[in-house]
């Protein structure tokens, strides 16, 4: 009975959850960059530098109370359609 109640309430909790800020590390001419809300920033020839920049931006947003997600193009099954 308790599980049925949780299953019933779960969609409401997800629907009311604040939207996440999604910072995506993407390929960019000359290397990698961070994409957020359609804007490309923090371009670097080094993918790790771009990932660090995305994580810094996410930390700032998270510290301000915004849920965040950092995605990296080509890792963990995330690919752009060609």
């Amino acid at each position: 009975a308790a599980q049925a109640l949780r299953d019933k309430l779960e969609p409401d909790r997800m629907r009311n959850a604040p939207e996440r800020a999604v910072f995506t590390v993407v390929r960019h001419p000359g290397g990698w960059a961070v994409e957020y809300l359609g804007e490309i920033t923090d371009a670097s020839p080094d993918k790790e530098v771009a990932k660090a920049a995305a994580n810094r931006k996410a930390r700032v947003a998270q510290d301000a109370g915004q849920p965040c997600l950092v995605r990296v193009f080509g890792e963990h099954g995330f690919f752009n359609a060609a």
Side-chain angles (χ1 to χ4, degrees):
Q3 182 62 44
L5 180 59
R6 277 193 298 272
D7 290 344
K8 189 174 184 177
L9 294 176
E10 191 67 29
D12 290 335
R13 188 168 12 146
M14 295 303 292
R15 185 176 22 246
N16 295 328
E19 191 159 326
R20 291 180 186 216
V22 178
F23 299 91
T24 306
V25 177
V26 295
R27 286 206 174 269
H28 185 67
W32 298 86
V34 179
E35 185 273 329
Y36 176 65
L37 297 177
E39 183 178 334
I40 301 292
T41 61
D42 300 290
S44 171
D46 187 335
K47 183 178 182 181
E48 294 302 316
V49 171
K51 285 168 63 173
N55 282 304
R56 280 193 305 274
K57 290 177 177 292
R59 171 63 86 174
V60 169
Q62 183 177 359
D63 288 348
Q66 175 70 49
C68 298
L69 175 67
V70 174
R71 299 191 308 180
V72 181
F73 175 83
E75 291 186 2
H76 307 291
F78 172 64
F79 294 96
N80 252 349

